[in-house]
Each structure stands twice: as C-alpha cells, then as structure tokens.
Amino acid sequence: MTERIAAELVRDYLRWHRSVGGAPVRADEGVRALLRDLSRRMAERSTPWPAPGYLAHMTGDTPVAVTLAYLCALLYNPNNIAPETSPVTTELEYEVADDLCRLVGHAPGSGWAHLCSGAHAAGYEALWIARNLTALAPAAARHPAGRDLLADVSPARLANLPVPSVLDLVERLAARGALHEVRRLRAPAGNAALLVGRTAHYAWAKAADLLGFAEDRVEQVGVDRHHRMDLTDLRARVERLIAAGRPIAAVVVTVGTTAEGAVDDLAGVLRIRTACERRFGAGFPVHVDAAYGGYFRTVLDVEDTDARPLKPEVAAALQALPHADSVTVDPHKCGQAPYPAGALVVRDRRALAVVATRDGCFGEPRPDGGLPFAPYTLEGARPGAAAAAVWAAHRLGGLHTGGYGRLLAGCLGTARHLHQAFTAPLGSVAPGPTSAYAPDLAILNLNPGAPGTGDPRAWSARLRESGLWVSAARADTIRLCVMKPLDARGRDRVEQSLRQAFERP
C-alpha cells in the first residue's frame, strides 16, 4: 500500500506539471542509473534511525505517512515566505502554528508561532525579540513621542521594565506612529546581559555573538546535581544586575538539556521574576528552550499503572510553559517530523512589532486578520514541505494524551526502566555502567563502573557491534536518547548489550 500511495503522489504531480504547461518530464537510463546509485548509497550507509537499538541522538523513526506528506509537498517546491509562492502549505503552517500555540498553552488568537529550520534559528529569533524588547523603553524615553509615557519611570527601572509594560509601550508607540523611529534609537546590545544555565545548548553562545552581546555579558548560571539551573545563583545574578541598572536581555530556561535531558525549574524562575517586579518594579524576558522537551506536555494527563510518567517537578515546569514569553519547540525531534522542522512560539504577538520589517511584497495581512510570516521571521525562504510534514504528523499522531502523550510516556518508561537496571548505591563502585540520577525526560546518562575504564567513544564503537547505537555526552559519560518505546524484550536486549560491552576487557 505504501508503494502504491507513493506512486499515486508522483503521478498526481506529473499530471499537474503537464496541466500548467511545464516542459515534458523525461528520464532516461542515465537518470535512472544516477538515482539508483544515490538510493543504493543511502540504503547502505544511512544512520539507522528506525532500529530498536538506535539510542544515539534525538531522532526517532519518522512515520512513513509523514515522510510521504513531505514528499508530496516537496514535489511542488513551495516556499512558505508568502501565500503567493505556497498557497497550500502556508495554510497548513497556519494550522500548525495554532497547534503549537495550543501545545505550549497559548490561545492562538493572542499567541503566535511559525516553523523554521530548527532550534538554532528559533533561538536566534527569540533572543532578537527579547533584546529589542529590553532596549525599547530607554529608547522611547529619548524620543518626543515616548517621553510622556515614561515620565514617572526612573532610569534604573527603564533598563529592565517588566515585559507586560514594554508590550503596552509597544502598542502605544505604534498608535502614535512612532514605533519605527524609536526602534532606530535602540542602544547596542553590548551592555545587556544574557543568562543561561551551564548545561544550556552551545547555540546560545553563537546567538549572543551574532546579536552583538559582549562576551563577558553572557553569564552561565550554575547547575545543581541534577543538572538543572541553580535558582539561588540565578536570583543573586538577577538582583545584582537590576541593582546596577544593567539591562537583562533574557533568562534562558531549558526544558530538556541536550546532554542530560534535564528540565530547569521554570516555575521557580518565573517566581523570581515576579518577586523582582514586586520588589524593584523590574523584570526580564524569559525564553524556554524546549526544543526537545516541548512535546512532553502531551504526557501531563497520561496515567501510568506502574508510576507517574513525569516527576512532579518536571510536570510543574511543563505546566508553567504558558507563562514564558517565548518557547522553542522542535517537531523534528519528539514530533516525529522530518528535517528541517523547528518552531518558535510567542506568548503575546505584540512582541513581534519590535522586529517587524516593512515589506510591500510579502507583508500583506490575511483577510481574517492573521499575521503574515514574512515580516516577522528571521529566515526568509522556508520549505513548505516541512509545514506539510508537521501538519500530517500532528493529525496522524495526535497532540493529546492518547497520541504523542502515549508515545512519549512509553519513552519515559523505557528510560526509567534502564535507569533502574543500572542504578547503584551512592558512593559504591559497580562492575559495569551506572546511572547516577533518574532522568527528567527520556535521556539517560551512564558512567563507567570505575575511573579510567575507557573512552566513551570506544564504548560507543564497541556497542555498535551488538546493534546498539549510543553517543558520548561528556568525557566520562555515554548518552542514551530513547526516542521510541521499547518492549520488555527490547529493554532486555539493550541492558544485556551494555553489560557485555562494559565487562569486556
């Protein structure tokens, strides 16, 4: 049936190609030989994502139906920069954007989302928005159209005006027709601080460099023994910056770190922000990097007969996502969509005005009042095929407890089982690998049984001989990413392979 569907999609495309007057599509033996060679090389040497023993990266087995949706749209080469170049897939992206808003916990009418190439691009865009929001109030205080709006705000408070107040300012400046001029008065980002956890993704250092942050203004907040952001350290840094009148461009919270799958205490970070607003009248944007962890919100209501699928503190962080100013989510991770499919979700669409461009060609609003993508996205040309794939994945998988929730709860259960299989008492030395802490999500870190037992990369190569793929998280740790649930037989096979690999001399 799958082969028949694929053939039907290609036939429909060729029929359309002829109907619009396209040049005849011809293929000779040379074309066939070229494509067969490509197919052979891909089939022989590609990374085996679908294999039950593949636990090396955040990539699962994309459903064939979703891949066919991608292929179907790809044949028509849509560019989702504007409806004129992608009338079908732009509509699909609007549907996906509403899906993502609901996933995070926003109302589609007030929130906003779009697809992009991945978490790198989404993070750059989120920081771009946060930087411009932070810089707006000081700029408005220097402009004739904004002085009266901020007359009772001290210079120290201007540096870190709470986000809701900045968004109200955006609206009032726009009503006076002065927003664009005020944006031009924005100070460089060099003096603004960016706070990220020590276990945050390395992309944030690149984003800060790209957006003009001074290197010493990117502060790495300490982490606790669970690899989560240390809130005592964060509170001290935030209060120091506010007291000094230094702008805080953003605090980046991670829900699912790359190496450990750790989930920062988002609810705690938001409480710190609320306390600062009450005590100092100052706040800061909060962005959540939930590229890996965002889809786990579908697990919140899943019931497990053996144990709760999520730790209470992890569930609390996921429940707090609606209160963050922006969130990164990657459908090409736990959303089971093909690459490239990242996404940025914004809580209040008024924030987009601080990065908007004026473009008469691709900036027309929708008849229903919806915002166009082109003026507000960092990336211009974007593949409509990705929108088609995510749209299909959401409708086939289901953004609910019985869909993605069931799938990801199974992944959590597999990770929890493997943790329990390799747990050793604190301070003891086991003969094989050990899991030092229970995973927050479905990523497991294993440490060697004793110091100096070998390079994790060597362990990884040895494990491949038994059909198990893992990755090296750090110099002394291997990482297992559970992207698909394993049954009892599969879990036992993974456990046996790990024990045998580590026991061998």
Side-chain angles (χ1 to χ4, degrees), residues 31-46:
V31 172
R32 183 174 186 274
L34 178 75
L35 295 179
R36 290 303 300 163
D37 177 58
L38 173 63
S39 181
R40 176 185 57 77
R41 291 164 68 180
M42 295 297 294
E44 290 177 357
R45 298 174 53 199
S46 287

Side-chain angles (χ1 to χ4, degrees), residues 105-177:
H106 299 328
S110 56
W112 192 73
H114 73 89
L115 296 177
C116 56
S117 61
H120 269 67
Y124 296 165
E125 189 173 314
L127 185 54
W128 180 30
I129 294 170
R131 180 200 68 177
N132 287 9
L133 282 173
T134 302
L136 189 72
R142 300 196 302 273
H143 192 279
R147 288 184 189 132
D148 66 308
L149 301 176
L150 298 164
D152 61 343
V153 181
S154 68
R157 283 186 58 214
L158 280 175
N160 290 297
L161 205 63
V163 174
S165 299
V166 178
L167 294 174
D168 290 341
L169 180 62
V170 167
E171 202 166 28
R172 298 177 73 177
L173 290 171
R176 295 181 178 187

Side-chain angles (χ1 to χ4, degrees), residues 277-298:
E277 290 173 351
R278 291 174 178 169
R279 180 180 176 187
F280 306 109
F284 46 84
V286 173
H287 173 74
V288 179
D289 182 352
Y292 167 61
Y295 278 85
F296 282 89
R297 267 182 65 86
T298 60

